[in-house]
Amino acid sequence: MFKSMFDKLKKGLQKTKKNLIPFRGKIDESLFEDIEIALLKADVGVKATEEILDFLRKESKKRKIKEGEELKELLKEKLIEILKKCEGKLELGEEKPAVILFLGVNGSGKTTTIGKLAAQFTKEGKSVVLAAADTFRAAAIDQLEVWAERSGARIVKHSQGADPAAVVYDAVNSAKSRGDDIVLVDTAGRLHTKEHLMKELQKIKRTIQKLMPNQPVETILVLDGTIGQNSINQAKTFKEATDVTGIVITKLDGSAKGGALIPICQELCIPIKFIGVGEDIEDLQPFEAKAFVEALLE
Amino acid sequence: MFELLTEKFSNVVEKLKRVKKLDEKTIDEALKDIRRALLEADVNVEVVKQFLDDVKQKLVGQEVIKGLNAGETVIKLIYDELLNILGEEAPLEKAEKPPTIIMLVGLQGTGKTTTAGKLAKLLKSKGYAVGVASTDVRRPAAGRQLCTLAESIGVPCFIDESEKDAVKLTEKVIEEAKKSGLSHIILDTAGRLHIDEELMDELAKIKEKVHPTEILYVADAMQGQDAINTAEEFHNRLGLTGVILTKLDGDAKGGIALSVRKVLGVPIKFIGTGEKIEDFEQFHPDRIAQRILGLGDIQTLMEKMQAAIDEDKAQEMAKKVMSAEFTLDDLKEQLQMIRSLGPIENLLKMIPGVGAKIKDLKVDEKQFIKIEAIINSMTPEERANPHIINGSRKRRIARGSGTTIMDVNKLLKQYKEMKKMMKKIKKSGKMKLPFNMPKLPF
């Protein structure tokens, strides 16, 4: 699992090989500049990049580091230290069904993530229900239906334009009475700046809790790995509105590096549950700090 | 005055207030903060570097602009340069012989299909006979999504779900569409999560077959550093004629606009500003430039310049306010002025002494429209002498403005309070700029 995530990430990164940091040789100011540019290019952001560089400058002096390769190890160490805190696994709990709510802005890959996850769960022999609570986007229900067919999950849907909370109610209620294992709730993509839509999410959550007070066991924010500094705002706002318990970061198999995870992790400490490194079902993989950092710097 | 600028530029402004002429050191100081702002807006690192190197050349030796200090002058000049690069508003090209084929390309999830619908709606509202067609054979239900949209707009939609070859499908749907005698056909193409050969080949072949007049690249305004690489790839293979920026209704700064313009030289033609089908407009370079740099700051500068240049007008308004002659007409004028400057929330943040307190305030812009409607429904006499507005006048005003008597009462009460506040301020003598309203009426 580890190897394949790393390989896929690396494959994506090879496309941008010209951006690699020249760690060979002695440390000089231009190496620090190269590191700075590389981090900025990876979407790490100005603030986090400045902090990391400050650390490298001070620490390399303290440790009397002279060689570029050593500095690379130091940088890796630092990045892993930051991201290690955010390694997380999906927690399903004891109660059945386990309800998992998915949120995110438009186009971040919620439906696809749910589809892949549903396929992984059904493969493990679990019975999965998909709640088509994205009643806004034209054909969102169709798209989820295709995933239900592919994965063998059951889908609960209303028509387009229906009240999403009502869909969720039906899905959770029927899963409860039929004894299903997992309910995956697909919500409409929403920009985090739309307050009324954030309120709608809270309503969906309350609806779930009316039926099952301890659910949703996970509230997962799906972030697009190609998004820049705005993903920090996204994570902050969604967390404030709905108490996000985990992050899935998608689209990391291309040349974007998803470095925004670093400030997100530093500032918000939300566990990262999965990363998406490809279009196949098994390309949704657990997040590992070490592999992620290796891929970022290799 | 310095508290007017947001934290982002406060350093420059603080440090550089005494310089009279721009020298290299002054510029370098100022550029540091600007670099930060550009990077935070997701402008590509290399573009930032090149852009700043270029402007630096132009800035050395410039006089400090009247009414501004050195740091502010640099910001203003950079803003002008940004405007310059972002370019003129570029209209859609038309084919010599209809139909004009507009091909939308881009990665998955950027909003191509939604954009196809929005563009169709816009063209339809201008009286064109528009149709949409999908060539996406990959994504489940992509064609159906487009047709659902088309149906709601009332334009014909051409798909063929049985055809699995994108190029053949394109030929089919275009032929079909041509038969219907349309003036414009919008072609929604397949996206991928990332650039891949297969997709590029497919798109190149489609281009070859249908000779689109416009090939518009749909770009997500939230995209990070890698965005420009993707856009470049599309441009190299297809020869883009324009860009459409989507998802600008969020708080993303859309730095990609600058990257794209600078690297590809392709104009940005439209922007998507919301989820509704009509949330789509012609690109305005000034708005994006303000956004990229941090809107509040620039507008503050504009106002300050305005205040410096057009002192007379400002004085006149200030005098009016101080003498408590402030009528409902003046209130309306002020609201219009404010609204023409951009989103109210951003604007409010700049009002001295208010900015910090209203950090999380949400302003319902509809309130402004309501207030304007109410004032518009009053007679000139009523506007000048609000105290004559009695019960039956209120009923008439409410009916005329489509509001309730309660709304009218609320406005009148708030107006009264504003006047009271203004009297107080007059005594303390703090009022100078026309925008320094003590309390906005909502």
Side-chain angles (χ1 to χ4, degrees):
Chain A
M1 194 74 106
F2 167 83
K3 189 149 187 349
S4 119
M5 162 184 165
F6 175 60
D7 285 347
K8 289 245 180 184
L9 282 171
K10 217 170 95 178
K11 216 178 100 202
L13 293 170
Q14 268 164 359
K15 290 174 203 157
T16 51
K17 218 166 186 173
K18 55 180 179 185
N19 300 330
L20 290 186
I21 313 168
F23 280 112
R24 294 225 163 117
K26 301 272 179 216
I27 295 179
D28 56 9
E29 188 48 36
S30 77
L31 180 57
F32 284 112
E33 271 166 34
D34 287 339
I35 294 174
E36 185 188 10
I37 288 176
L39 291 177
L40 287 172
K41 265 201 175 156
D43 289 317
V44 174
V46 193
K47 194 170 151 239
T49 298
E50 279 171 4
E51 280 168 17
I52 291 166
L53 275 161
D54 270 358
F55 167 83
L56 286 182
R57 285 205 165 93
K58 279 188 195 132
E59 197 68 14
S60 62
K61 236 181 226 160
K62 211 166 97 192
R63 296 196 200 176
K64 299 197 171 63
I65 288 175
K66 294 265 151 52
E67 298 293 325
E69 288 293 332
E70 286 172 273
L71 191 66
K72 181 180 173 185
E73 287 310 309
L74 187 63
L75 173 60
K76 248 193 224 173
E77 199 180 289
K78 177 72 182 170
L79 294 177
I80 292 173
E81 183 202 307
I82 295 170
L83 289 171
K84 197 86 190 164
K85 284 183 230 144
C86 296
E87 278 182 357
K89 280 207 175 70
L90 207 59
E91 306 287 349
L92 294 179
E94 296 294 310
E95 196 180 25
K96 275 186 187 172
V99 182
I100 308 177
L101 184 61
F102 289 83
L103 349 151
V105 304
N106 323 54
S108 57
K110 278 180 301 301
T111 310
T112 310
T113 300
I114 288 171
K116 288 177 185 171
L117 213 51
Q120 288 184 8
F121 282 136
T122 50
K123 221 170 161 187
E124 289 168 19
K126 294 195 169 87
S127 63
V128 180
V129 177
L130 305 181
D134 180 354
T135 57
F136 183 81
R137 179 163 62 99
I141 301 169
D142 292 340
Q143 197 190 341
L144 197 66
E145 219 159 17
V146 173
W147 274 110
E149 263 166 47
R150 262 189 221 168
S151 63
R154 183 162 66 87
I155 184 168
V156 174
K157 57 173 185 173
H158 291 186
S159 54
Q160 200 196 335
D163 178 6
V167 181
V168 174
Y169 186 92
D170 283 356
V172 175
N173 208 17
S174 76
K176 222 173 132 185
S177 59
R178 292 201 199 184
D180 288 308
D181 296 316
I182 295 165
V183 181
L184 304 176
V185 181
D186 187 19
T187 61
R190 62 202 70 222
L191 287 178
H192 50 294
T193 48
K194 302 289 162 69
E195 205 175 1
H196 60 290
L197 289 174
M198 298 306 267
K199 288 227 170 85
E200 187 190 271
L201 280 180
Q202 290 161 354
K203 184 180 167 195
I204 290 175
K205 208 163 172 176
R206 281 199 305 275
T207 306
I208 296 169
Q209 281 161 350
K210 253 180 231 160
L211 290 164
M212 304 184 72
N214 298 319
Q215 300 289 342
V217 67
E218 292 266 25
T219 302
I220 302 290
L221 171 64
V222 181
L223 288 177
D224 178 339
T226 66
I227 299 303
Q229 297 314 297
N230 194 247
S231 42
I232 303 163
N233 290 1
Q234 286 177 28
K236 254 186 213 157
T237 323
F238 273 108
K239 190 176 183 206
E240 272 165 27
T242 57
D243 196 18
V244 171
T245 59
I247 285 175
V248 172
I249 183 150
T250 61
K251 308 186 195 177
L252 281 182
D253 47 328
S255 45
K257 299 176 190 77
L261 272 190
I262 289 167
I264 288 175
C265 187
Q266 266 180 322
E267 285 177 39
L268 302 171
C269 253
I270 306 171
I272 301 155
K273 308 273 173 166
F274 291 99
I275 65 167
V277 292
E279 302 196 27
D280 295 329
I281 285 161
E282 55 279 5
D283 288 335
L284 186 69
Q285 302 190 348
F287 170 74
E288 294 191 38
K290 191 157 178 279
F292 185 83
V293 171
E294 300 263 349
L296 200 100
L297 298 177
E298 281 306 319
Chain B
M1 267 307 166
F2 300 114
E3 73 273 10
L4 288 183
L5 289 169
T6 56
E7 214 179 301
K8 200 182 290 163
F9 294 126
S10 57
N11 279 342
V12 205
V13 171
E14 203 75 35
K15 270 189 241 158
L16 304 174
K17 48 186 167 189
R18 283 198 184 86
V19 184
K20 285 272 178 294
K21 206 169 190 176
L22 296 180
D23 54 58
E24 208 173 328
K25 203 182 132 233
T26 310
I27 294 167
D28 280 342
E29 278 294 327
L31 290 190
K32 255 189 228 159
D33 281 8
I34 287 161
R35 175 175 184 267
R36 197 175 237 278
L38 294 176
L39 287 171
E40 271 167 9
D42 292 317
V43 180
N44 181 272
V45 185
E46 272 152 26
V47 173
V48 171
K49 191 173 176 302
Q50 204 194 341
F51 172 71
L52 293 183
D53 285 350
D54 289 352
V55 285
K56 198 178 149 185
Q57 305 297 324
K58 292 188 187 174
L59 293 180
V60 180
Q62 287 263 12
E63 296 281 337
V64 170
I65 298 173
K66 192 186 159 198
L68 305 182
N69 68 33
E72 291 167 333
T73 300
V74 174
I75 296 169
K76 166 75 173 82
L77 293 173
I78 295 265
Y79 170 71
D80 290 345
E81 188 59 24
L82 264 181
L83 270 189
N84 216 353
I85 292 174
L86 289 171
E88 299 289 304
E89 288 155 30
L92 270 188
E93 299 293 330
K94 249 195 262 176
E96 274 172 37
K97 210 177 96 206
T100 299
I101 296 172
I102 302 165
M103 186 171 161
L104 299 183
V105 300
L107 292 182
Q108 227 172 64
T110 52
K112 269 191 308 300
T113 305
T114 310
T115 301
K118 287 177 171 182
L119 185 57
K121 167 102 184 178
L122 184 81
L123 289 170
K124 190 190 174 205
S125 72
K126 289 185 175 170
Y128 292 113
V130 197
V132 293
S134 173
T135 71
D136 190 348
V137 292
R138 267 277 197 108
R139 189 159 67 107
R144 263 175 282 163
Q145 187 187 345
L146 183 67
C147 287
T148 311
L149 265 173
E151 203 179 306
S152 71
I153 307 161
V155 299
C157 178
F158 303 91
I159 54 167
D160 183 350
E161 282 183 286
S162 63
E163 181 59 69
K164 290 292 170 218
D165 181 279
V167 182
K168 279 188 194 145
L169 172 64
T170 309
E171 279 181 290
K172 261 193 209 171
V173 293
I174 289 284
E175 205 177 307
E176 195 73 21
K178 275 182 177 164
K179 277 186 212 151
S180 327
L182 298 166
S183 67
H184 287 75
I185 299 167
I186 299 164
L187 210 50
D188 183 21
T189 63
R192 296 277 196 283
L193 286 174
H194 314 288
I195 299 276
D196 68 31
E197 259 322 291
E198 197 192 335
L199 170 71
M200 286 300 167
D201 262 356
E202 181 183 305
L203 294 175
K205 279 184 194 147
I206 290 174
K207 181 191 171 185
E208 200 81 338
K209 276 272 176 310
V210 304
H211 301 291
T213 309
E214 292 268 14
I215 302 178
L216 302 178
Y217 178 68
V218 180
D220 182 333
M222 302 188 293
Q223 276 190 296
Q225 290 289 323
D226 193 49
I228 189 62
N229 300 335
T230 315
E232 211 173 357
E233 198 89 17
F234 272 93
H235 188 52
N236 290 344
R237 288 296 295 267
L238 301 169
L240 304 173
T241 62
V243 173
I244 299 177
L245 268 190
T246 61
K247 302 184 196 172
L248 271 168
D249 47 332
D251 52 2
K253 307 266 190 186
I256 185 187
L258 180 63
S259 305
V260 161
R261 205 71 178 84
K262 188 99 177 133
V263 176
L264 309 184
V266 171
I268 291 142
K269 298 215 166 177
F270 297 99
I271 58 170
T273 56
E275 287 180 333
K276 289 196 210 77
I277 200 87
E278 58 273 3
D279 294 333
F280 190 67
E281 52 191 65
Q282 195 91 34
F283 171 69
H284 298 287
D286 50 341
R287 289 192 206 155
I288 297 292
Q290 290 169 8
R291 215 180 158 108
I292 288 174
L293 279 180
L295 180 79
D297 312 324
I298 293 303
Q299 278 173 348
T300 310
L301 290 186
M302 294 304 171
E303 281 164 34
K304 285 176 71 181
M305 281 174 50
Q306 206 55 42
I309 295 161
D310 201 0
E311 198 99 354
D312 286 354
K313 204 171 174 193
Q315 284 300 335
E316 194 189 312
M317 183 60 96
K319 223 191 257 165
K320 222 174 199 175
V321 168
M322 292 221 227
S323 66
E325 264 171 31
F326 190 72
T327 67
L328 281 166
D329 263 327
D330 296 326
L331 173 62
K332 197 181 102 182
E333 200 178 305
Q334 281 211 344
L335 288 180
Q336 278 167 345
M337 247 195 281
I338 291 174
R339 276 182 61 205
S340 70
L341 286 172
I344 316 246
E345 279 161 60
N346 294 335
L347 211 66
L348 283 178
K349 285 182 189 146
M350 296 182 339
I351 298 175
V354 183
K357 279 179 222 151
I358 57 153
K359 230 170 117 197
D360 299 314
L361 180 81
K362 295 276 179 293
V363 177
D364 182 4
E365 309 233 352
K366 278 192 198 122
Q367 286 295 330
F368 280 71
I369 299 171
K370 220 183 210 176
I371 291 169
E372 265 190 62
I374 293 173
I375 299 178
N376 281 339
S377 295
M378 294 177 183
T379 63
E381 198 194 352
E382 284 164 350
R383 288 180 215 176
N385 307 301
H387 63 269
I388 66 165
I389 299 175
N390 57 20
S392 83
R393 282 176 193 259
K394 277 179 195 164
R395 265 199 301 282
R396 192 205 75 240
I397 293 165
R399 252 203 328 273
S401 56
T403 57
T404 62
I405 294 182
M406 247 166 65
D407 289 325
V408 179
N409 278 333
K410 207 167 125 199
L411 170 68
L412 289 172
K413 195 171 159 229
Q414 282 164 335
Y415 166 72
K416 237 172 153 175
E417 274 169 19
M418 279 179 78
K419 276 193 83 159
K420 238 191 255 166
M421 290 278 282
M422 281 169 183
K423 269 186 198 155
K424 265 190 218 160
I425 286 174
K426 183 193 162 195
K427 277 180 200 153
S428 65
K430 269 186 190 152
M431 200 78 169
K432 274 200 186 95
L433 283 170
F435 297 143
N436 292 9
M437 286 213 279
K439 182 172 177 278
L440 285 157
F442 44 79

